[in-house]
Amino acid sequence: MREWWLLVGLLCIPLLAVYLHIPPPQLSPALLTWRSAGAFFTFRSNNIFYRETYGAVGSSDVVILLHGFPTSSLDWYKIWEPLNRRFNRVIALDFLGFGFSDKPRPHRYSIFEQASVVEALVSHLGLTEQRVNLLSHDYGDTVALELLYRSDHNRTGHLTINSLCLSNGGIFPETHHPRFLQKLLKDSSFLSPVLTRLTNYMVFSKGLGDVFGPYTQPTDAELLDMWTGVRFNDGNLVMDRYCTIHCFQTSLFFLEQVHGIPLLHVISLSPCLSVHMIYGPLDPVNPHPQFIFLYQKLVQRSTVSVLDEHISHYPQLEDPTGFLNAYFSFINAF
């Protein structure tokens, strides 16, 4: 009798998952405005969303913004206008599988493909010969380091990088602590498709809220916009795919295994490259002081800005003024 009930329970799980796969939320006015201000280009038959604005007159400086997991280019909305006043062109994209970009499935997502997406965007915008500044966060940090490797090794289609600013990326496996849901999606193999359907707004908002500081929590409207971005084009159904990337491929150890060299040596061997780290020290994913101590030990030529003690994993959203002050101090110093 007990085994019979167990079998019924196991059969009900996928049925419940299908039932809970409710239609995605409607785009808010803020998301509609963000999307209407952007455009799409095609990368290997997939539509990639990007946003570009022209700002500072008399400057040729370009900054490219690389967002984190599991969100989108909207992560930069609080600092977009100040960046636009400083740079001639401000550019952000939604990586493949994120935000308004296509979310193919089945598909083998990878850091290397995301780097190729960025290179394709740069080519699409006619910036192949332009020196660009990279500003990245979380997952975007590892994409930026892969782009730096390609640039240093003169790979075909590479970017010419003028400066690199990282923020709160899980680049060291020793100090990286992925959240429970990320680990569950990565490690649960056959259960992952069920778990992605069971993930709802309440689960998502609780998990994301945990990586913001207690005094810098996102508003309900911001959380819903983030969740809507995940759900757009059924993106929740590929979360297990890029959770595997986020929990494994984002570490430098993985990239170093692939390339056969310590990737941070690329920074050391690029004397003309200016490098900076902006860090929210309350980050539970990359905790203080272990993360920043290791970073300063391994990347000695990089400058570092540690923000207020209550700032956590999303510094550009939690403390946009402090983030901008740190970034402008860095970018205006050379």
Side-chain angles (χ1 to χ4, degrees), residues 17-18 185 188-199 236-237 240-241:
V18 171
L185 288 172
S188 297
S189 58
F190 71 95
L191 280 179
S192 292
V194 176
L195 292 171
T196 56
R197 290 181 179 271
L198 287 171
T199 301
N236 58 310
L237 302 185
D240 58 322
R241 302 288 181 174

XYZ file of all heavy atoms in Angstrom, residues 17-18 185 188-199 236-237 240-241:
147
model
N 3.585 19.990 -12.103
C 4.517 20.926 -12.738
C 3.901 21.544 -13.988
O 4.021 22.745 -14.226
C 5.816 20.203 -13.085
N 3.245 20.701 -14.782
C 2.590 21.212 -15.993
C 1.484 22.191 -15.614
O 1.318 23.253 -16.222
C 2.039 20.047 -16.835
C 1.168 20.580 -17.970
C 3.174 19.211 -17.389
N 19.117 23.036 -9.221
C 18.899 22.945 -10.660
C 20.096 22.329 -11.368
O 19.950 21.594 -12.340
C 18.597 24.324 -11.242
C 17.227 24.917 -10.915
C 17.153 26.361 -11.382
C 16.103 24.107 -11.538
N 20.379 18.240 -10.089
C 19.245 17.320 -9.994
C 18.956 16.548 -11.280
O 17.995 15.798 -11.332
C 17.984 18.090 -9.568
O 18.158 18.645 -8.292
N 19.744 16.728 -12.299
C 19.656 16.016 -13.578
C 18.205 15.851 -14.053
O 17.600 16.803 -14.503
C 20.370 14.659 -13.483
O 19.796 13.885 -12.440
N 17.626 14.651 -13.931
C 16.320 14.384 -14.508
C 15.206 15.177 -13.836
O 14.130 15.367 -14.422
C 16.007 12.889 -14.450
C 15.731 12.367 -13.058
C 14.440 12.269 -12.589
C 16.784 11.980 -12.232
C 14.180 11.790 -11.314
C 16.525 11.498 -10.965
C 15.218 11.390 -10.493
N 15.422 15.650 -12.612
C 14.394 16.433 -11.932
C 14.411 17.906 -12.338
O 13.445 18.628 -12.085
C 14.567 16.338 -10.408
C 14.033 15.087 -9.719
C 14.317 15.161 -8.236
C 12.537 14.936 -9.960
N 15.487 18.346 -12.958
C 15.627 19.770 -13.283
C 14.478 20.316 -14.117
O 13.965 21.401 -13.820
C 16.959 20.021 -14.002
O 18.037 19.805 -13.119
N 14.033 19.605 -15.180
C 12.903 20.147 -15.956
C 11.645 20.333 -15.108
O 10.868 21.262 -15.337
C 12.688 19.088 -17.047
C 14.010 18.403 -17.180
C 14.583 18.386 -15.789
N 11.437 19.444 -14.132
C 10.286 19.588 -13.247
C 10.472 20.790 -12.324
O 9.562 21.595 -12.116
C 10.067 18.304 -12.429
C 8.925 18.484 -11.430
C 9.787 17.120 -13.349
N 11.681 20.911 -11.777
C 11.960 22.008 -10.855
C 11.821 23.368 -11.527
O 11.356 24.330 -10.919
C 13.365 21.847 -10.268
C 13.560 20.660 -9.318
C 15.031 20.491 -8.978
C 12.738 20.837 -8.052
N 12.228 23.458 -12.804
C 12.107 24.740 -13.505
C 10.643 25.134 -13.659
O 10.298 26.319 -13.615
C 12.771 24.697 -14.899
O 12.204 23.629 -15.666
C 14.270 24.503 -14.798
N 9.758 24.147 -13.848
C 8.335 24.454 -13.958
C 7.722 24.777 -12.602
O 6.761 25.544 -12.502
C 7.593 23.290 -14.609
C 7.918 23.124 -16.091
C 7.129 21.979 -16.701
N 7.424 21.836 -18.133
C 6.781 22.468 -19.095
N 5.814 23.310 -18.785
N 7.100 22.279 -20.357
N 8.262 24.191 -11.545
C 7.743 24.454 -10.208
C 8.208 25.799 -9.655
O 7.611 26.337 -8.729
C 8.176 23.332 -9.245
C 7.464 21.987 -9.430
C 8.131 20.923 -8.584
C 5.989 22.097 -9.085
N 9.292 26.326 -10.223
C 9.783 27.623 -9.762
C 8.775 28.709 -10.140
O 8.406 28.848 -11.305
C 11.148 27.936 -10.396
O 12.078 26.914 -10.034
C 11.678 29.273 -9.902
N 12.205 30.455 -17.994
C 12.319 29.622 -16.801
C 12.604 28.166 -17.153
O 13.184 27.422 -16.355
C 11.037 29.718 -15.958
C 9.795 29.313 -16.739
O 9.563 29.783 -17.853
N 8.976 28.446 -16.155
N 12.229 27.740 -18.367
C 12.428 26.355 -18.769
C 13.859 26.057 -19.201
O 14.210 24.891 -19.427
C 11.460 25.990 -19.899
C 9.976 26.172 -19.585
C 9.113 25.671 -20.738
C 9.603 25.447 -18.288
N 17.757 25.636 -15.817
C 18.671 24.567 -15.415
C 19.882 24.517 -16.329
O 20.982 24.161 -15.906
C 17.956 23.222 -15.400
C 17.342 22.855 -16.755
O 16.816 23.760 -17.438
O 17.385 21.671 -17.110
N 19.692 24.897 -17.605
C 20.802 24.884 -18.568
C 21.854 25.921 -18.191
O 23.046 25.652 -18.167
C 20.297 25.164 -19.983
C 19.250 24.187 -20.469
C 19.839 22.837 -20.779
N 18.816 21.928 -21.259
C 19.081 20.702 -21.718
N 20.322 20.265 -21.722
N 18.111 19.925 -22.133
